[in-house]
Amino acid sequence: MSASRRRGTTDELGPDEPGGDGPYGFDLLAALLDGMDAALCAFDADGVVTHWNREAERILGWSAEEAVGRHGFAGWAVRSADAGEVEGRLMAAMHAAGRQVHEFALLTKDGGRVLVRTQSSAVRGPDGKPAGLYCAFSEVHAQIDLERSIAFSEALFEDASWGVVLIDADLRPAVVNTHAARALGTGRTAVLGRPLGELLTHGVRELESALTHVLAEGAPPAPAEMWIGVRTPDGEKRRCWRSGFVRLASPLAEEPVPLGVGWLFQDVTEAKQGEQEAALLRFRANQLHRAARAAAECEDPAEAATVHLDFSLAGFADHALLDRLHGAPRADTDPAAPVRLVRVAATPAGGPGPSVLSAHPGLPVGYPEGHPALQCVARAGTVRAGAGGIPADQARVWARTRQWPEDTVHALSTVLRSRGRTLGAVTFLRGGGRTGFERTDTTYAEDVAVRIAAALDLAEAAGETRG
């Protein structure tokens, strides 16, 4: 415990002074001094040690009983050759304004040397004159570690090129760095204390589950890639953030008390989308290859066309419809000429399964005017259509009107062309649980249509030959 020449605490406080009210005042001061994280010693106006706390004993090895009452550090806590300089710099603090910071090499009780950083300041008496000084010191390497930690923390929250968010135990942002605020589309102070559900539109449950796990179990072994929907003035923006988590615990508690979670993330959306697109292209190329191999084994070219149709659905669409022109194929398309289509085959609307040939191969399909299949034939191109954001009951009416299954909300129709002639159209359909068709989907549908058209053209030629 800290000690002095009176009762092991202080000889500067009397019983009538604040803090010196009987034994309790001395015990309170001793507890405060011994509870400090920094080493502390004090000198009176003559340079005699009056206080020496437990942290000073830990660093140098000298106990309070051995230190209190000595004059300066000479001969025991500092080398004799350095004693004059050290004492002069320390005592100068009594006559200087504010704190004085110095670095000294002090001696430990076992003869070792410790480089310490000191902060010294005058202690003034009732008359305002210097009555002594106190000196708080710590090992330089510990001070440097602390300064590094503070500097690192400040850099993370100012200049880091990845997002840093401190989440409190209630799963609300407590501190947000500049990069994270920009990624969330708001200011640094605007997000503080708000529920994550107000900031994000997608991935909130996954994120909160990860934060709860970290609070209870600690940091996961590896970063996690999470798709997050961010609210912006222009609507939702989906991003993929590679996230790492660390649990924050108070260094002042005897047992670990979680203060929250440190969430660090990097935006890897472009890289992830590139990986997904590359994987999708590989899969679709493989499907086209497998379909070509399977179709080559079909004796009937019409069957080969349905094989291409069935292989194309995997990961691409829920249903597909194959229609050919009623009558002879057209060499040139005329938008003004009427177009009628006859159903050749379709995938089952009630569930998965291979394409089924039409039971009425000669009857035109009752497509209304402006139907996407009719448009794509007239234009000799590709047409995309969607129900948009209309209610579910209206979307079902929209699909029934176009002769599609009721769960359809996205459609893509592309023309069948072979030998410079238009043969018909193939239509791919998606339900409400999937996204609309995009430009890459259009390219794939057109690749499938080329193969189907070639098979239908071969079937027509074979029929004419037999006829």
Side-chain angles (χ1 to χ4, degrees):
M1 63 178 291
S2 53
S4 74
R5 288 173 290 180
R6 288 185 58 190
R7 304 192 59 154
T9 53
T10 175
D11 60 356
E12 295 298 326
L13 296 177
D16 296 327
E17 294 178 80
D21 188 11
Y24 175 76
F26 295 121
D27 293 341
L28 176 60
L29 180 57
L32 290 174
L33 294 178
D34 283 338
M36 295 177 60
D37 292 331
L40 184 135
C41 64
F43 302 86
D44 63 16
D46 297 324
V48 177
V49 178
T50 60
H51 299 79
W52 190 264
N53 74 347
R54 190 170 294 172
E55 183 66 10
E57 179 179 347
R58 186 194 68 80
I59 294 176
L60 298 180
W62 300 97
S63 68
E65 288 76 10
E66 294 172 308
V68 172
R70 291 178 179 264
H71 190 282
F73 286 150
W76 62 288
V78 71
R79 294 191 312 173
S80 300
D82 300 330
E85 179 187 359
V86 170
E87 183 174 349
R89 294 167 71 180
L90 281 177
M91 299 308 291
M94 280 198 298
H95 306 285
R99 292 179 299 173
Q100 303 294 306
V101 179
H102 302 289
E103 290 186 2
F104 301 127
L106 300 182
L107 295 179
T108 62
K109 187 175 181 180
D110 59 9
R113 299 184 72 196
V114 178
L115 185 62
V116 299
R117 180 172 294 175
T118 66
Q119 294 187 34
S120 305
S121 182
V123 176
R124 302 190 181 276
D127 57 358
K129 295 181 179 180
L133 65 93
Y134 75 84
C135 174
F137 62 91
S138 60
E139 297 174 85
V140 167
H141 70 83
Q143 183 72 18
I144 292 176
D145 288 344
L146 175 61
E147 291 178 2
R148 284 199 189 103
S149 297
I150 295 173
F152 179 64
S153 176
E154 291 180 350
L156 280 179
F157 287 105
E158 295 294 338
D159 306 321
S161 59
W162 57 87
V164 181
V165 183
L166 299 190
I167 305 291
D168 63 20
D170 294 328
L171 304 187
R172 297 171 183 248
V175 185
V176 179
N177 78 338
T178 304
H179 186 95
R182 190 163 51 247
L184 291 168
T186 184
R188 292 183 63 179
T189 57
V191 303
L192 303 184
R194 295 173 59 185
L196 293 173
E198 294 184 4
L199 304 172
L200 308 174
T201 60
H202 175 79
V204 177
R205 290 186 178 180
E206 182 182 4
L207 177 58
E208 289 183 341
S209 177
L211 295 172
T212 302
H213 172 82
V214 173
L215 281 172
E217 305 292 337
E225 291 179 351
M226 311 175 75
W227 282 95
I228 302 293
V230 182
R231 299 182 190 275
T232 68
D234 300 326
E236 181 188 57
K237 181 173 64 175
R238 292 196 67 192
R239 312 300 295 172
C240 182
W241 291 346
R242 180 172 293 139
S243 302
F245 304 92
V246 291
R247 181 167 60 177
L248 306 177
S250 172
L252 303 179
E254 293 184 3
E255 296 183 1
V257 177
L259 295 177
V261 178
W263 173 29
L264 297 86
F265 64 86
Q266 264 188 321
D267 193 320
V268 293
T269 306
E270 294 184 4
K272 202 65 181 176
Q273 288 176 339
E275 293 175 4
Q276 291 177 344
E277 291 174 2
L280 183 62
L281 288 175
R282 287 194 299 269
F283 173 76
R284 289 179 174 177
N286 187 50
Q287 286 296 100
L288 292 174
H289 173 74
R290 292 176 61 200
R293 295 288 299 270
E297 301 300 322
C298 297
E299 295 183 6
D300 183 1
E303 180 184 357
T306 62
V307 167
H308 283 292
L309 193 66
D310 292 336
F311 271 91
S312 68
L313 288 184
F316 180 66
D318 298 318
H319 306 292
L321 308 172
L322 179 57
D323 303 320
R324 65 173 177 81
L325 274 175
H326 183 265
R330 300 183 180 185
D332 298 314
T333 59
D334 181 3
V339 176
R340 292 192 298 171
L341 297 174
V342 176
R343 179 64 42 82
V344 175
T347 56
S355 301
V356 178
L357 295 175
S358 173
H360 308 284
L363 298 178
V365 183
Y367 286 146
E369 184 178 353
H371 191 280
L374 301 179
Q375 290 185 38
C376 82
V377 171
R379 301 174 184 177
T382 301
V383 176
R384 289 182 288 176
I390 62 178
D393 54 344
Q394 297 182 25
R396 286 192 290 270
V397 173
W398 177 84
R400 283 198 303 267
T401 303
R402 288 158 179 76
Q403 307 291 318
W404 294 331
E406 289 189 352
D407 60 345
T408 299
V409 294
H410 307 292
L412 185 152
S413 295
T414 187
V415 68
L416 300 175
R417 297 275 296 176
S418 178
R419 292 190 295 162
R421 303 178 305 161
T422 297
L423 306 183
V426 59
T427 300
F428 298 98
L429 307 174
R430 288 178 178 176
R434 310 184 66 160
T435 59
F437 290 97
E438 299 177 355
R439 185 177 299 274
T440 54
D441 298 323
T442 299
T443 302
Y444 179 63
E446 291 172 349
D447 285 343
V448 174
V450 168
R451 289 162 169 78
I452 293 176
L456 290 181
D457 196 10
L458 181 58
E460 180 186 348
E464 291 175 355
T465 301
R466 286 195 296 270

